[in-house]
């Protein structure tokens, strides 16, 4: 716990450096690209269109709330884009910034946070597009729309906790990045994003409960609650407690592994 407190103090003390490096990381993604920031939106928007045509047009899927399928899909898939991108970026951050890792005076623990903030900047654009989409469909405005900030923070903490572990292991086991990528592909389908868990209640009633054990279920459901129904996070008390308990355990385990392996980073990179 003392290590966590020390890290928090370091983050506060070097907040300007972290912010400057995060902005630089964000800009670096599009250096040399003709269309620049446009590419940031192309793949996610194409993915949304594909799932829309498959599930809405092809399978005639109907969401559990009286809303167009696309309005039900977007609040579930937007946080997944953020979570998966953050976890991928954080996993590879020590290799990417190997020249900083080798500097004795540099606090290596802030590198995953720099990547997280850079991904949050991208995520903010998608959240804005989501808001504009709901406004275009003339969906009723709820104060709970502001609750997206809370669920974005929750997704950030979950990704960061896992990322500390995967980034540390990835220094010594290069296949970790590929394993994370494959797990995220499975994770997207194991999370009720394109479908609703109620579709299994008749034939496989126990499966709906198993799907809720996935901590990201809380994030996807929370985004939908915030945007579609106006429900607040305290209206899911058991799920909220479960999510933060899992996130706390994962985060502490990730930090512990990172701290233990940190002295050997510069020797391997």
């Amino acid at each position: 716990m003392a290590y966590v407190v020390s890290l928090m103090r370091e983050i506060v003390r070097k907040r300007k450096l972290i912010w400057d490096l995060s902005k630089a990381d964000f800009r670096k993604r599009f250096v040399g690209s003709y269309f620049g920031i446009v590419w940031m939106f192309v793949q996610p928007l194409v993915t949304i269109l594909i799932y829309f045509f498959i599930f809405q047009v092809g399978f005639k899927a109907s969401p559990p709330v009286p809303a167009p399928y696309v309005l039900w899909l977007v609040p579930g898939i937007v946080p997944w884009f953020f979570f998966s991108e953050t976890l991928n970026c954080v996993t590879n951050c020590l290799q990417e910034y190997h020249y900083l890792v080798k500097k004795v005076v540099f606090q290596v623990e802030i590198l995953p946070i720099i990547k997280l903030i850079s991904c949050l900047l991208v995520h903010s654009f998608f959240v804005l597009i989501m808001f504009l989409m709901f406004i275009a469909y003339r969906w009723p405005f709820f104060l709970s729309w502001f609750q997206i900030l809370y669920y974005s923070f929750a997704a950030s903490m979950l990704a960061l906790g896992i990322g500390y572990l995967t980034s540390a292991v990835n220094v010594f086991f290069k296949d970790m990045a590929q394993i994370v990528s494959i797990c995220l592909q499975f994770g997207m389908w194991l999370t009720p994003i394109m479908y609703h868990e109620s579709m299994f209640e008749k034939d496989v009633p126990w499966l709906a409960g198993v799907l809720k054990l996935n901590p990201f279920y809380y994030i996807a459901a929370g985004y939908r609650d915030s945007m579609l129904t106006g429900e607040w996070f305290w209206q899911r008390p058991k799920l909220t407690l479960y999510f933060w308990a899992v996130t706390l355990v994962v985060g502490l385990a990730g930090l512990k592994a990172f701290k233990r392996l940190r002295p050997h980073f510069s020797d391997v990179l």
Side-chain angles (χ1 to χ4, degrees), residues 174-186:
K174 306 301 182 184
D175 294 333
M176 176 55 69
Q178 300 302 322
I179 293 173
V180 168
S181 181
I182 292 171
C183 288
L184 286 171
Q185 291 180 39
F186 278 103

Side-chain angles (χ1 to χ4, degrees), residues 51 55 63-64 69 72-80 185-201 207-225 228 236 239:
Y51 289 140
F55 288 93
Y69 179 79
W72 184 80
L73 172 65
V74 168
I77 205 169
V78 162
W80 179 261
Q185 291 180 39
F186 278 103
M188 185 172 185
W189 292 101
L190 292 174
T191 305
I193 293 175
M194 279 75 70
Y195 60 90
H196 193 261
E197 67 274 10
S198 61
M199 67 183 293
F200 300 108
E201 289 180 353
L207 187 56
V210 171
L211 290 173
K212 292 180 181 180
L213 294 177
N214 178 353
F216 194 82
Y217 171 85
Y218 176 73
I219 307 297
Y223 268 66
R224 284 173 172 149
D225 288 344
L228 290 166
R236 292 179 179 266
L239 205 57

Side-chain angles (χ1 to χ4, degrees), residues 63-174:
V65 294
Y69 179 79
V70 69
L71 289 189
W72 184 80
L73 172 65
V74 168
I77 205 169
V78 162
W80 179 261
F81 288 151
F82 165 61
F83 176 78
S84 59
E85 182 187 24
T86 301
L87 191 51
N88 276 321
C89 289
V90 170
T91 299
N92 291 293
C93 70
L94 297 180
Q95 279 83 359
E96 183 177 346
Y97 289 100
H98 60 90
Y99 53 91
L100 293 176
V101 175
K102 293 180 180 180
K103 290 187 176 182
V104 179
V105 296
F106 188 80
Q107 191 79 12
V108 181
E109 286 83 353
I110 69 174
L111 288 177
I113 298 170
I114 290 168
K115 281 295 185 181
L116 169 64
I117 296 174
S118 175
C119 293
L120 271 172
L121 293 174
V122 177
H123 181 58
S124 63
F125 283 102
F126 280 100
V127 170
L128 177 60
I129 292 173
M130 180 175 67
F131 286 159
L132 293 175
M133 184 180 295
F134 272 74
I135 292 171
Y137 271 86
R138 297 183 179 180
W139 193 258
F141 170 77
F142 300 108
L143 284 176
S144 59
W145 284 17
F146 296 106
Q147 190 176 227
I148 293 298
L149 294 172
Y150 161 75
Y151 283 110
S152 295
F153 173 76
S156 300
M157 293 300 99
L158 179 61
L160 193 61
I162 300 172
Y164 270 114
L165 173 62
T166 57
S167 63
V169 173
N170 194 45
V171 173
F172 307 94
F173 182 61
K174 306 301 182 184

